[in-house]
Amino acid sequence: MIKKNFKVGVVGLGFIGPAHIEGVRRLGDVVVGIVGKDLQEAQTAAEALHVEKAYATFDEMIADPEIEIVHVCSPNYLHYSHTVKALEAGKHVICEKPLTVTAEESKALVELAKTKQLACSVNYNLRYYPVNHEAREIVQKGELGKIHNIHGAYLQDWLLYPTDWNWRLLPKEGGALCSVADIGSHWIDMVMFVTGLRVSEVMADLGTSIPVRKRPLGEVETFAGKMTKKEMAYEEVHVTGDDFANILFRFDNGAKGSLAVSQVSAGRKNSLSYEIDGSASALAWNSESPDALWRGYRGRYNEVLIKDPSLMNPAAQSVASYPGGHTEGFPDTFKQLAKKVNQYILKGDFSAKPDFPTFEDGHRALVIEEAILESSQTGKWVKISE
């Protein structure tokens, strides 16, 4: 492969868009231009982020022949239309999760992607903490034995107060699910990636701890929370989206699982944790200690593997940029995912199996999420049918 610096365009300038910009720049890619909710927002962000072009519309950006890869970081309800337009314009796409707001839309994107010679990825970036690739290798080698139990949580606290607000709480913008689609989807993708198993059935109980929230009459960024100091005017809004959930899983090998999702857990800032129990040993990981992988045993001392590429398997080495003792964290995961996409494009074989999260992965997540919603509404186990 010949090294190439790709030209990138980004739509969406909230919390996650700048994270994408930083990640691709660290690869040497050039962010040609950006799109926001209007030209003024795009121009302000372009100046702050040192981006050359601020486009008035998404259509204007994808018409720019310089741009090769589009990062879709807009609100959920726009993912489908933005991705369709980008693919039809011949651009490679990295789309934020959820891929769309319905499984019908995500299925349509999977079918469209099959007709294009393009890289199509969903930003399940949390896979790209290096020790998660090491965990996957451990499972694939059979070192855990037969997996029978997978359990964990994804906990945050940025929606704890009635004055906390975000567009994800509105079904028209975020979709029918809130916390499950936003962070629960990361956990589900993670355990399927690490174990190689698929969810076959779900039972869910979704909760709304604050049914009436105070919506500020102004813009509030994701995770702004206590950093917002000035007094704001509010309007009361009834919300139905889940800000916490408890979900049971059945996997295709007979294993069972459980997940607690919450964005109203005081003190938890961004804690994704999983533990995988097998007949021979167990392993566990937490995103707030991202370089440590716990190994559990019955007949000998437990172990904690600390990220060190010189001691890890090739798959983990490929997503690590720093030696042992040098922590790799959240911003690095964006870089590593984008690197895999770049390498795939450079190889030029779009019939090859990608080593990054695909639109098929994004669609599978939507199917599971819709089953979770149905289960919570009916109080019954719901089978996953793709």
Side-chain angles (χ1 to χ4, degrees), residues 157-216:
D157 72 356
W158 64 285
L159 290 179
L160 181 64
Y161 300 140
T163 51
D164 292 328
W165 181 261
N166 187 264
W167 56 263
R168 290 173 177 82
L169 292 161
L170 296 173
K172 288 185 178 180
E173 295 189 35
L177 292 167
C178 182
S179 66
V180 171
D182 187 27
I183 58 176
S185 58
H186 268 300
W187 189 93
I188 295 167
D189 176 78
M190 181 73 81
V191 299
M192 289 195 298
F193 169 72
V194 171
T195 65
L197 303 177
R198 292 200 179 190
V199 175
S200 60
E201 203 168 357
V202 295
M203 167 69 87
D205 189 12
L206 307 184
T208 305
S209 66
I210 305 174
V212 179
R213 288 184 177 268
K214 295 182 178 181
R215 178 180 184 175

Side-chain angles (χ1 to χ4, degrees), residues 57-118:
T57 66
F58 183 72
D59 289 347
E60 182 183 342
M61 184 177 79
I62 60 172
D64 189 333
E66 267 199 283
I67 291 176
E68 300 165 284
I69 304 174
V70 170
H71 288 244
V72 177
C73 307
S74 47
N76 299 350
Y77 76 101
L78 293 170
H79 288 183
Y80 177 75
S81 61
H82 282 164
T83 300
V84 168
K85 288 182 177 181
L87 293 178
E88 294 292 3
K91 314 295 185 183
H92 306 284
V93 174
I94 298 177
C95 181
E96 263 302 324
K97 52 79 213 158
L99 179 57
T100 61
V101 293
T102 69
E104 182 181 7
E105 288 182 341
S106 61
K107 184 177 181 180
L109 285 185
V110 169
E111 294 304 314
L112 177 60
K114 289 178 181 177
T115 70
K116 306 293 182 180
Q117 294 290 299
L118 296 167

Side-chain angles (χ1 to χ4, degrees), residues 73 132-133 136 200 254 377 380:
C73 307
N132 287 319
H133 279 63
R136 177 180 168 87
S200 60
Q377 292 170 339
K380 298 179 181 178

Side-chain angles (χ1 to χ4, degrees), residues 154-158 160 243 261-269:
Y154 201 151
L155 309 175
Q156 298 174 336
D157 72 356
W158 64 285
L160 181 64
D243 50 29
V261 179
S262 174
Q263 293 178 317
V264 289
S265 292
R268 295 297 185 184
K269 305 307 176 185

Side-chain angles (χ1 to χ4, degrees), residues 130 133-138 141 309 311-318:
H133 279 63
E134 185 73 13
R136 177 180 168 87
E137 184 72 9
I138 289 168
K141 288 181 177 178
L311 303 174
M312 296 165 74
N313 71 77
Q317 292 173 357
S318 74

